[in-house]
Amino acid sequence: MVTDTEGYIHIVEYLTEHLSLFENSPSDHHSSDTVMAVIEQELSEQIMIVCNQNEELSFNQRNIIIREIDAIVYDLQEILSGVVNNKVSPSQKEFIKEFSLLIKNLFDIEVHAQFLS
């Protein structure tokens, strides 16, 4: 659905262009959240919004979306493997929010193209 689109490839490229934000950034010792926890939280929130905005999605379609999110989280764990357990910095948190919105936008497009058209 989403992970096999050109848009997803561009979003992953966008992440790789900003890897230095994660690799060279000191962690925020005041934060209790890890990079992975923020990724999971932000993606979960965005996907809940997608599903709530599209109430006509069937149970099976929602499961497809959840499987896609699982695949995206796996990809992010692979790309950010060295830092997923680090405390998240404010700049990393902001980037993850932006990244999650890009993923949501991609889901918005694909949900309408594949399920609602």
Side-chain angles (χ1 to χ4, degrees):
M1 177 181 179
V2 169
T3 55
D4 59 356
T5 66
E6 194 170 316
Y8 182 69
I9 293 168
H10 290 299
I11 291 172
V12 170
E13 287 172 354
Y14 177 70
L15 172 62
T16 59
E17 291 169 5
H18 292 85
L19 280 179
S20 63
L21 176 66
F22 293 92
E23 295 171 346
N24 300 322
S25 178
S27 62
D28 183 358
H29 298 289
H30 302 301
S31 175
S32 60
D33 293 327
T34 63
V35 169
M36 197 68 231
V38 172
I39 289 171
E40 289 172 342
Q41 176 185 344
E42 291 297 327
L43 285 175
S44 295
E45 287 176 13
Q46 295 307 318
I47 289 310
M48 284 191 293
I49 291 170
V50 168
C51 289
N52 287 337
Q53 289 174 336
N54 299 287
E55 294 176 359
E56 61 275 17
L57 290 172
S58 70
F59 178 78
N60 288 337
Q61 291 167 331
R62 290 172 192 265
N63 279 336
I64 291 168
I65 291 169
I66 291 168
R67 282 195 304 272
E68 285 286 306
I69 284 296
D70 287 343
I72 291 168
V73 169
Y74 178 81
D75 288 347
L76 295 176
Q77 285 175 320
E78 291 293 310
I79 294 167
L80 300 170
S81 62
V83 299
V84 292
N85 294 317
N86 292 355
K87 301 291 184 192
V88 68
S89 72
S91 59
Q92 290 168 341
K93 196 171 200 173
E94 189 62 34
F95 179 84
I96 293 168
K97 285 182 181 204
E98 178 185 336
F99 185 84
S100 297
L101 286 170
L102 292 172
I103 295 292
K104 182 206 178 282
N105 289 342
L106 190 56
F107 270 96
D108 286 337
I109 293 166
E110 292 301 315
V111 162
H112 287 284
Q114 293 187 26
F115 298 142
L116 305 177
S117 54

